[in-house]
Amino acid sequence: MSNAIEAIEAPADYGHFPDTLGHFGPYGGRFVPELLMAPLEELSAAYERYRNDPAFKASLDADLKDYVGRPTPLYYAEHWSNQVGGARLYLKREDLDHTGAHKVNNTMGQALLAYHMGKKRIVAETGAGQHGVATAAVCARLGLECIVYMGAEDVRRQSVNVYRMRLMGATVVPVESGTRTLKDALNEAFRDWAANVDDTFYIIGTVAGPHPYPAMVRDFQSVIGHETREQCLEQHGRLPDALVACVGGGSNAIGLFHPFLEDREVAIYGVEAGGDGVETGRHAAPLSAGRPGVLHGNRTYLMEDEDGQIMATHSVSAGLDYPGVGPEHAWLKDTHRVEYVAVNDDDALAAFHGLARSEGIIPALETAHAIAYAEKLAKQMRPDQIIVINCSGRGDKDINTVAEVEGMEL
Amino acid sequence: MSRISHRFSQRRAEGRKTLVTYLTGGDPNPQATVPMMQTLVASGADIIEVGMPFSDPMADGPVIQAACDRALAAGTGLRGVLEMVREFRREDQDTPVVLMGYLNPIEQIGYIEFARLAAAAGVDGVLTVDLPPEEGNELVAALADHDLDPIWLVAPTTRIERIRAICDHARGFVYYVSLKGVTGAATLDIDSVSEHVEAIRQTTQLPVGVGFGVRNGDDAARLGEVADAVVVGSAIVSRIAEHAEDQAAGIEAVGAFTRSLRAGLDAPSLEASS
């Protein structure tokens, strides 16, 4: 694999990817220790079987409806749109999902799969704690043991989510190695899985990791895009002009984007965490400023130094604070189907306040990155045009962080 | 014949088992590695594995992760490790050196350039723990161009068809990971190891090394009963860590430990003696 990825030709049909070994063009794949190859093959086979099983689909759909609370609204944020000026802004309200973010769409699917595979023990990694909370919830619901690995630094920053996980019966294990954040939690969860492959299922929270995770998590999250498509057609008789979502690992984004990839008239924007500014090096924007490499089981864009060591990232939003990104996003970037941009901490914080004041909706700090970019985009578009933003999570979890940044004591 | 194959034939001809020892390059500082490699050889190690430090060693336990962190903090990357091998090779033309680590630092140099540099430094084999054969064709081709042996892992979870595919790619030796888990974990199940090593032997003529979980001379002796080589890593690295502040003490401790492994491995068979 050479470093310079040449311009890649866009495929005729995005729906047929990845290939059987998990490749999205040069990205993705399965780069794991030999010990994990057999469990990944077992998982791929089980997923192939159950995804086409009507009984599995019916029970997942029932849980998505009655437990998660789907479908979520596609909401016209009229007051906000008027304030911004330009295109009409619509929010896909994933913040209304049970546990407060889109994460549960995926954990519900994976936990149900684990249940059917007879795996009684679940491990997961978490950064901000949203995926951990969503995993703890579904494990409680299905009676599965749940162990969540979380960087010690994140345990400190997100104590409320740690308590929520424990309330639902999960064991939260603080990870002291490396930078003590999300990437180290992933390392530790992989290690646990390697040591306990027989009875353990690893629920990865984003569209990264080795095959089949990027495709499987995408499929579970695609309910967002499918609903959006239907709702938009119903409300407007046509598709939206643009989609905007924040990208850390990229699961909420791919969930919204994927059902629209063939609709070339729909412009798609992924928003990374610019931190202090991409030019400062203190950010979490591998697609904007990284280069291809291999980490956590797949080839993708990474933030890394000259020697191939993974760099510490920075973002005010813990959920975007990850040095890699899902391999499908890497490929969508190279094929120019999706445009990836970065929004700085300051602009995200302003958008956090802006949406709260204009709509009475407090978005997650992750989501606030998409909100900020949508404002910029709307101003360049006409009032008859429609932008759909994935409102991927609610901001209650971030209130302490925002107060701290602004020097306020709660 | 590669230096690795030659070393295995030598030991086999002597009726002895091969002792493979691991240390992380640049741990705890760049100056410590070459003297430590020489100590390992002088104390009875047959093949040296040098770890290429990586920030996110997900197949390794806390001992090796800490070694990677120390090495990186002291400024050693992949190019630094190659420099250490070059220096070691000036004095020692016989002991095979295997680089062990993760794919990303190699990708950043580029496979072809890496293979060229590694061969020029005197490396004999390369083991990338997060590169399965399915993804490995390009690297294997680059290594082959420079007569470097690709070393592959076989795990307790590896099914027989995969063992065959892995052995088809392998040269030098095949490395059986004797435990589920990460480096430095739990205890040894000798019957299970024996069964898997037999399965590997059915598919390849290559020597089989066994590692993960070897803590002392007795463990080495028991594994030596069933394998061609015994690989010891975490137990050495933890001694290096213990004496990170005092190089002479570290050399003393690692030397004594390696001699005890060698003695265990060379002792008359347990069955014969019991």
Side-chain angles (χ1 to χ4, degrees), chain B residues 150-164:
Chain B
I151 314 292
W152 299 96
L153 299 175
V154 171
T157 52
T158 310
R159 285 189 312 275
I160 189 75
E161 318 84 74
R162 273 190 70 78
I163 294 182
R164 264 187 221 113

Side-chain angles (χ1 to χ4, degrees), chain B residues 19 21 214 216-217 220 232 236 257-266:
Chain B
L19 176 60
T21 55
V214 182
N216 52 46
V232 187
I236 288 171
F257 178 63
T258 308
R259 285 190 295 277
S260 75
L261 294 171
R262 183 79 255 173
L265 215 47
D266 287 348

